[in-house]
Structures are given as C-alpha cells and as structure tokens.
Amino acid sequence: GENVEQHPSTLSVQEGDSAVIKCTYSDSASNYFPWYKQELGKRPQLIIDIRSNVGEKKDQRIAVTLNKTAKHFSLHITETQPEDSAVYFCAGSDYGGSQGNLIFGKGTKLSVKP
Amino acid sequence: ETGVTQSPTHLIKTRGQQVTLRCSSQSGHNTVSWYQQALGQGPQFIFQYYREEENGRGNFPPRFSGLQFPNYSSELNVNALELDDSALYLCASSSLAGVTGELFFGEGSRLTVL
C-alpha cells in the first residue's frame, strides 16, 4: 500500500521568510495529493491540493509542486506570518481523493517567529 | 451549511471496555471516513462508509467496526479497548460526486484508555 514520508518534522522560520515542506510517496498509482493544516486542538483543514496531471498549483502565498517521476511533492509558503504556525500534513491517495482513502505523513510543526 | 459534528468530544474508558463514537456528516455528503490520530502523529485511515457499506479499510483489527445510517451519519465502535487505542478519532465526510475531493473533518473525539 501507499506510504508517505514527510520532512522536516519541525521547522522554525522568521516572519516574512519562506517555508518548504517535502513529502515522498511510494505508490505510483497515487494521483491526488492534498495538504492539511491543523492548529493546536483544532480539526485538520485543507489548504491546497494537487492532482497528478498537474505539476504545480498556487494559491496566494501557498504553492505545491509535484514530481511524479521522483514521487515527491512539496509545499511552499512565502512571506510567512505568525498565523501560519501549525502542524502541516501531506497525504497521498490513489482513489482521486473523494473516496477518502488518504494516507498521511507524520506532519511538520511549523513555527513562525515574529 | 452544517459542518461535520462528532460526539462525545472527550471520554475516558478502561482497558477491555467498548466505546461508540458518533459522527454527523456535512450536509450533502454521502461518504464518511474515520481516522485515528495518535499524539504527534498524522491521521491513520481506519475505514470508509458509502451507502451504508464499508468501502475501504486501513490496517486496523476487526475489533474496530462501524456503521453508516440512511441519513449518512456514522458510528465507530471499538471493542476490547487497549491502552494503545488512546488517540483522537477524527471523522471526515466527503461526496463521491464532488469535484475537489476535499475531506471535511470534525473536531474529533479524544479517547483515553486507562
């Protein structure tokens, strides 16, 4: 089955700097890769996703890139703000995402220092 | 639009007992997935229900079972509780007819097994 590895486990940046989180997946059949943000004590919330027919997607300060050949994908946050501090999870799915069989990475705790 | 709601929010059980957790899916969603999130880890897929039937299962033993009702709400049952079952249990709803494939998570039920 699918296995998703995520690194780093913790990341500390200064406000205004960029942050990059990387994930690798094992199942070449995976075709949907969402990123979730989970603030302390709150539910995970989708921040951006990408499908395997696209190499890059951007939404304001957040972007995701996908390299199918290397089986890795990355989250890029530019101009970080203190409210970006949270745990970020990447996930892979080989059912197009809507069927819910998401395999999550172990998470990256991002701290943005003012 | 009503979001995903879960109950109870917190509960404490002793080893060997049984527990039932409940989830109401977001309005218009017909699919419910359950995840176990241990402290400091990413959510792990337990199973998914669609049209009242199990539609995919992760690597969890048979003592983890579930139900989905005609109104798409769902229950997660865990028998013979073990200490390692202590975790946050997240329910997520989605629509197989959806375009984005996004999972909408509830706030979770935090289970402590003593």
Side-chain angles (χ1 to χ4, degrees):
Chain A
E2 175 68 289
N3 181 50
V4 176
E5 301 283 342
Q6 181 174 352
H7 59 94
S9 57
T10 60
L11 180 60
S12 182
V13 300
Q14 287 296 131
E15 182 177 0
D17 286 350
S18 295
V20 180
I21 302 170
K22 298 182 179 181
C23 289
T24 60
Y25 62 97
S26 61
D27 189 349
S28 56
S30 282
N31 56 13
Y32 174 66
F33 306 93
W35 286 87
Y36 281 80
K37 176 183 180 182
Q38 188 175 29
E39 296 177 12
L40 191 62
K42 299 265 182 91
R43 71 187 77 194
Q45 291 192 292
L46 180 74
I47 55 171
I48 197 167
D49 55 15
I50 192 167
R51 296 188 185 271
S52 58
N53 58 348
V54 175
E56 184 173 358
K57 184 177 179 181
K58 190 172 182 180
D59 183 3
Q60 299 182 347
R61 296 186 297 109
I62 294 172
V64 57
T65 58
L66 171 65
N67 183 326
K68 284 174 56 181
T69 303
K71 290 192 275 189
H72 67 71
F73 55 112
S74 300
L75 177 71
H76 304 253
I77 306 174
T78 59
E79 300 171 25
T80 54
Q81 301 166 2
E83 51 265 39
D84 294 330
S85 296
V87 180
Y88 292 81
F89 294 99
C90 62
S93 166
D94 61 357
Y95 288 102
S98 62
Q99 294 195 22
N101 188 18
L102 290 180
I103 306 301
F104 285 85
K106 292 189 175 180
T108 296
K109 183 176 181 180
L110 174 63
S111 300
V112 180
K113 298 179 180 178
Chain B
E1 187 176 80
T2 306
V4 178
T5 59
Q6 293 187 241
S7 64
T9 54
H10 295 82
L11 69 167
I12 299 173
K13 292 284 187 177
T14 57
R15 198 169 48 181
Q17 285 189 311
Q18 177 265 345
V19 67
T20 297
L21 308 177
R22 296 179 175 82
C23 171
S24 293
S25 60
Q26 182 160 314
S27 175
H29 286 179
N30 55 16
T31 304
V32 173
S33 303
W34 286 92
Y35 286 82
Q36 180 195 68
Q37 186 175 25
L39 200 61
Q41 300 293 316
Q44 278 199 290
F45 176 67
I46 303 175
F47 43 55
Q48 180 193 76
Y49 277 84
Y50 171 62
R51 290 185 176 177
E52 302 176 53
E53 299 214 353
E54 191 178 288
N55 185 43
R57 190 181 181 93
N59 189 25
F60 281 81
R63 59 189 186 84
F64 285 78
S65 63
L67 287 172
Q68 186 181 33
F69 301 99
N71 65 354
Y72 305 130
S73 67
S74 177
E75 286 183 355
L76 164 65
N77 298 290
V78 187
N79 294 322
L81 285 168
E82 301 176 358
L83 298 180
D84 285 349
D85 295 333
S86 295
L88 180 68
Y89 288 85
L90 293 164
C91 168
S93 73
S94 59
S95 172
L96 288 186
V99 175
T100 64
E102 181 176 357
L103 290 183
F104 292 82
F105 284 91
E107 295 283 2
S109 293
R110 184 163 296 282
L111 170 66
T112 301
V113 182
L114 302 176

